[in-house]
Amino acid sequence: TKLRIYGGISMCIYLVTYVNCKQLLDLVVADGLLGLENAIHRIFPQAHFQKCVVHKTRDILTKVRPTEKDEVSTDLRQVFDNFDKDSTIEKAKQKITVFLDKWGKKYPLIKPMLQHDTIDYYFTYILFPHDIRRMIYTTNCIESLNKKLRKATKNKQSFEKTDRLLDYLFVIIKEFETKSWMTYPVNQFAAWKKPQTQLS
C-alpha cells in the first residue's frame, strides 16, 4: 500500500494511525515536514519513507539569487534525476558532491540542506523499480488533485446529502485520472515490487 500525505504533523499522525488500523504500508510519500519520518516509523517500522524532491528543490532555490535560479535549478534536476535502471543512491550522493563543489561556496546556506542526516529520504525512490520512480519521488500528484477538488467545491455552498458530495468528488477524481494517466500512470503499480535494498 502507498500513502501520500501532507499538512500539519498532528493531522498526519492521526491519518497514519487510522490507516494502521486498516492495513500495513510499504511506502509513504510526504513533504519535508520535520520529524514526520520518525513518527511514521514508530507506527510503520517496515515502511519506506520518501520526502518530496520538488519541495526540497523549491526550498533550495529560495536561497539563490534570481539571476542564477535557472542554472541552479537545472543542476538540481541532475542531482535528483535518478530514473534509469542503473541509478543508485551512491551515485546520487556523488551528484550532490559535484553540485556543492560548484555552488556550495557561493551559497553556503544550501550546503546543510543537502548534507542533513535526512537527505537519504529524498532518494528512497531509487530503491523501487525505475518505471514507477517518477510517481513516488514527489507529492505533486496528490497536491494537484487536492487543488482541483478545492476549486470544484469552492463555489458549492452545500450538498443535500453526504452521498451527493461524494458522488461529485468521485466525478472530479475520475476526470483527473483520465487526463493525468500519462503523467501519473497508476496502472504501473499493478507490477508493484518491494525494494530489494534497505536504506542505511
Side-chain angles (χ1 to χ4, degrees), residues 11-97:
M11 177 57 73
C12 292
I13 298 306
Y14 172 83
L15 176 58
V16 297
T17 302
Y18 172 79
V19 174
N20 191 35
C21 297
K22 303 292 184 180
Q23 55 193 322
L24 297 177
L25 287 176
D26 298 319
L27 172 69
V28 175
V29 183
D31 59 21
L33 191 63
L34 292 176
L36 181 57
E37 62 275 9
N38 295 327
I40 293 293
H41 286 146
R42 283 199 300 270
I43 303 171
F44 300 100
Q46 81 293 339
H48 287 78
F49 190 90
Q50 170 68 45
K51 285 178 174 284
C52 180
V53 168
V54 174
H55 280 81
K56 170 61 76 174
T57 300
R58 290 172 182 167
D59 289 344
I60 291 173
L61 290 178
T62 62
K63 313 299 182 185
V64 177
R65 295 188 184 98
T67 55
E68 294 182 316
K69 281 190 176 182
D70 286 345
E71 185 177 357
V72 174
S73 178
T74 298
D75 290 345
L76 277 174
R77 282 197 294 271
Q78 291 299 316
V79 171
F80 293 110
D81 184 358
N82 303 289
F83 305 111
D84 296 332
K85 289 183 178 181
D86 62 345
S87 295
T88 65
I89 293 178
E90 290 70 28
K91 290 180 180 178
K93 288 185 175 180
Q94 290 173 7
K95 293 181 182 180
I96 290 180
T97 300

Side-chain angles (χ1 to χ4, degrees), residues 155-176:
N155 297 324
K156 298 288 184 179
Q157 298 300 319
S158 63
F159 291 85
E160 295 179 4
K161 298 179 180 179
T162 302
D163 288 347
R164 294 286 179 86
L165 171 60
L166 294 177
D167 288 344
Y168 181 66
L169 294 178
F170 176 78
V171 172
I172 302 300
I173 293 171
K174 290 299 293 183
E175 180 180 304
F176 175 83

Side-chain angles (χ1 to χ4, degrees), residues 107-157:
Y107 297 106
L109 291 179
I110 69 177
K111 191 171 184 178
M113 298 176 73
L114 289 170
Q115 293 183 323
H116 193 271
D117 58 5
T118 62
I119 192 62
D120 280 357
Y121 290 119
Y122 291 93
F123 295 119
T124 301
Y125 67 97
I126 300 175
L127 300 177
F128 289 81
H130 74 282
D131 52 352
I132 65 170
R133 291 177 190 171
R134 292 185 185 277
M135 292 178 281
I136 62 177
Y137 83 118
T138 176
T139 58
N140 275 11
C141 176
I142 190 63
E143 290 181 6
S144 178
L145 174 58
N146 287 341
K147 182 178 179 180
K148 289 186 178 295
L149 292 176
R150 288 194 299 270
K151 182 178 180 181
T153 57
K154 183 176 181 180
N155 297 324
K156 298 288 184 179
Q157 298 300 319

